[in-house]
Amino acid sequence: MPRRRTHPLPLLLAGALLLAGCGGGDDDPAAGADADATAPPTVRTLSPLPRPEDPPPTGRQLADMRQSSIDASLGRMQVWIDNDTTAPVTPSRIVYRDPHFRRPIDAERLRTNPAGSERGFPVPLPARPRCDGTARPESGVVEITHGGRTERVRVTDPTDVVGRYTRSRCQELALARVADVGWLDEVTDDGSGAGAVGTLTLLVRPTGGAEGHDLVIDRVSGSHLLGSAEGPGAWAPGRRITGTDPVRIDLPLKPARCDDHAFLEGGNATAFRLHFTLDGRPGEILLRMTPAGGGNAVAFARRSCGLDAG
């Protein structure tokens, strides 16, 4: 959320623009010739512009919702609270309420928010949001209890953190009624060292609710670190799931990038977008590997990039 106060502009060092003249004047060369050569030069300077002042505090607390890739991997979002008052606020409880969710959610990591500062407070994402589609965007509020009173503040959500999570989670729940979909922890490779091609395996296990439903695994999109060894773009298995037996879908794997930043960027290196069609309706979920599987995938990428000897 952008700060609601302007920061002072750097002072203009007008003294760097010096207009120097000698003797009587610049308009008459003769006058300069007759002037005392020992007279001190005249230096003209510009007065510094006045320093802009911050606007006065509004006396209110302001809030917005944010989510980093690390937050997403930890199953949370963060409500950021801007204390635009003249006194510190030490919350004893922060509760987030949103019609997307079935019940209020307590924020975590409570601590003092100094005057003129903002702090982020983690909010766990509920496993079962409402899936009826009736909630409006930016409809959440946060209740901040401090100093024996509770302040209710509307939460803006400029990147639609709550809406995006709700849509994705509801699609996950719809898919789970038909099949359990996940990654195997094992990531194999051809043993060729640098430039090796690996295999990422998706396991689809139909559930008891699969009968009478039509499920197709259409595409799988790579992450910033890992992608298809068959060429640019997503894997496209186009696999229809039938019967009750588990289905293995092997995806040839290679690193998408080998620079240091690729291995350091956020928490989505081993999260892949699964595109499917269920009963004729397209769906999309972000499917993460387990910590063990993710470690194996990153280790493969390092070997294939030639960053590890073994």
Side-chain angles (χ1 to χ4, degrees), residues 16-310:
L17 303 175
L18 302 180
L19 301 176
C22 295
D26 297 330
D27 296 331
D28 185 356
D34 296 337
D36 185 352
T38 63
T42 301
V43 179
R44 298 178 183 143
T45 62
L46 299 176
S47 300
L49 295 176
R51 183 186 181 96
E53 298 295 332
D54 285 339
T58 62
R60 299 184 295 120
Q61 296 193 81
L62 309 167
D64 71 296
M65 193 63 73
R66 307 179 201 176
Q67 186 185 54
S68 67
S69 61
I70 297 296
D71 290 327
S73 68
L74 294 174
R76 72 187 188 192
M77 52 191 177
Q78 291 202 45
V79 59
W80 279 74
I81 299 175
D82 184 346
N83 178 14
D84 200 17
T85 73
T86 58
V89 172
T90 302
S92 58
R93 189 183 186 196
I94 297 176
V95 179
Y96 179 70
R97 298 179 182 272
D98 195 302
H100 287 91
F101 304 142
R102 299 174 184 274
R103 57 185 61 86
I105 307 171
D106 282 277
E108 300 172 344
R109 198 169 167 252
L110 303 187
R111 61 205 187 280
T112 297
N113 194 359
S117 297
E118 58 178 3
R119 294 287 185 269
F121 300 91
V123 177
L125 291 165
R128 301 190 68 85
R130 295 187 184 277
C131 295
D132 55 12
T134 59
R136 305 184 313 276
E138 294 195 6
S139 52
V141 297
V142 67
E143 295 173 350
I144 308 165
T145 300
H146 63 99
R149 65 189 183 91
T150 298
E151 187 174 350
R152 187 179 176 93
V153 179
R154 186 175 71 87
V155 179
T156 62
D157 190 358
T159 61
D160 195 24
V161 172
V162 174
R164 286 186 289 108
Y165 168 73
T166 299
R167 290 188 293 274
S168 177
R169 182 57 183 155
C170 288
Q171 290 185 347
E172 288 178 0
L173 293 172
L175 179 61
R177 288 192 288 270
V178 176
D180 179 21
V181 181
W183 301 109
L184 294 188
D185 285 345
E186 183 182 13
V187 179
T188 61
D189 66 59
D190 59 14
S192 60
V197 173
T199 301
L200 182 65
T201 301
L202 182 69
L203 184 63
V204 183
R205 293 175 293 191
T207 66
E211 185 176 355
H213 291 281
D214 181 33
L215 172 62
V216 180
I217 305 300
D218 298 309
R219 304 187 319 280
V220 181
S221 299
S223 72
H224 70 270
L225 178 62
L226 296 162
S228 172
E230 296 177 332
W235 293 279
R239 187 74 173 269
R240 176 169 269 103
I241 307 302
T242 58
T244 59
D245 294 333
V247 176
R248 288 173 57 109
I249 302 176
D250 292 331
L251 306 175
L253 182 69
K254 71 174 183 180
R257 291 165 50 188
C258 286
D259 58 282
D260 291 339
H261 293 292
F263 289 90
L264 298 174
E265 283 182 9
N268 286 332
T270 57
F272 306 89
R273 291 205 171 272
L274 176 69
H275 306 263
F276 62 92
T277 302
L278 179 58
D279 297 334
R281 300 182 63 179
E284 176 187 318
I285 65 172
L286 185 65
L287 191 61
R288 298 182 181 279
M289 301 186 75
T290 67
N296 292 336
V298 172
F300 155 75
R302 292 187 62 84
R303 291 194 302 273
S304 184
C305 286
L307 300 178
D308 286 343

